[in-house]
Amino acid sequence: MPNECFVCGQGAGSALVCGACREGLPRVATVCPVCAIPSGDDLICGSCQRAAPAFDATVAALPYVFPVDRLVQALKYGRRLALTDFLAGLLEPFAPPHGPALVVPMPLHPSRLRERGFNQAAEIARPLSRAWGLPFEAAAVERVRDTAPQASLPWLERRRNMRGAFRCHGTFEGRTVVVVDDVMTTGATLDELARTLKSHGAARVVNRVVARTPSPV
């Protein structure tokens, strides 16, 4: 049976989002190449110049505004797993640079994974690793601290909240690690993960996120 578009409710054929709504998804023309925050040009933003994060680059497919927020939340909290291929497809054109690389999804703490039943980042990352022809390493990193939700904390406390949150298994010596996540807000979680990966030999850490909040608050 034909699908109704997840955004507008009109006929979408075999797709989840109709062509008109897909073409109408919000875009950001110029962003900081390190943290992907919207900016007036494609130069590194002042924040990243003052305090460079541990990751080297970030690509966000879309800004985290309507209807993108609705799509991400439907997967994350509404268990609409059918959306994973659509969201992964938004990131597929942004393949990492050539060279030795692997794909690591942002890990969930085991208690959060049991509660949710799946890791949305892993569900998005798995088809991307196949499309890019890169190894998928979901077990290479684990989240060892069940931190308070970042959204519940003031901006300045988020980095402190994430300290020591991750543990790596093995080494990433000389390799580029492509971290996949659904939403980037302040970047504190991605920063701590990148710091942990580099302490285990990663040459570069680049982020691929479905959506980026328009401002880090």
Side-chain angles (χ1 to χ4, degrees):
M1 296 290 291
N3 292 323
E4 291 183 352
C5 174
F6 193 87
V7 176
C8 71
Q10 301 300 309
S14 60
L16 290 175
V17 177
C18 71
C21 285
R22 181 173 181 131
E23 289 299 315
L25 289 174
R27 309 281 176 173
V28 177
T30 56
V31 299
C32 169
V34 176
C35 72
I37 199 71
S39 64
D41 51 43
D42 290 316
L43 301 177
I44 297 175
C45 71
S47 178
C48 288
Q49 290 185 42
R50 288 189 299 271
F55 50 79
D56 298 280
T58 301
V59 172
L62 301 168
Y64 191 62
V65 296
F66 180 85
V68 181
D69 53 354
R70 182 182 171 194
L71 292 167
V72 171
Q73 290 168 18
L75 168 62
K76 192 170 184 175
Y77 304 115
R79 299 172 182 250
R80 298 292 295 272
L81 290 171
L83 286 166
T84 55
D85 285 342
F86 174 77
L87 297 177
L90 297 173
L91 281 172
E92 187 176 336
F94 303 107
H98 294 295
L102 56 87
V103 175
V104 170
M106 174 62 69
L108 282 180
H109 189 270
S111 63
R112 196 72 55 85
L113 184 60
R114 286 192 298 270
E115 177 184 320
R116 189 170 297 165
F118 66 98
N119 179 354
Q120 72 281 354
E123 297 301 319
I124 295 168
R126 190 174 288 108
L128 285 174
S129 69
R130 290 195 298 266
W132 294 337
L134 296 177
F136 174 72
E137 300 288 353
V141 184
E142 64 176 327
R143 196 159 181 160
V144 294
R145 287 186 53 232
D146 189 12
T147 55
Q150 291 287 79
S152 69
L153 299 174
W155 182 78
L156 292 176
E157 293 183 20
R158 296 185 184 193
R159 181 169 294 184
R160 188 181 308 116
N161 181 52
M162 294 309 302
R163 287 176 185 161
F166 301 104
R167 178 186 298 151
C168 290
H169 302 284
T171 179
F172 302 95
E173 195 67 39
R175 304 176 79 180
T176 294
V177 180
V178 186
V179 176
V180 175
D181 204 0
D182 55 347
V183 178
M184 180 177 180
T185 307
T186 66
T189 306
L190 288 160
D191 182 47
E192 181 64 21
L193 178 54
R195 196 177 311 281
T196 305
L197 291 165
K198 286 191 170 180
S199 73
H200 285 72
R204 284 175 55 83
V205 177
V206 297
N207 304 318
R208 297 292 184 265
V209 298
V210 174
R212 176 67 154 103
T213 55
S215 59
V217 294

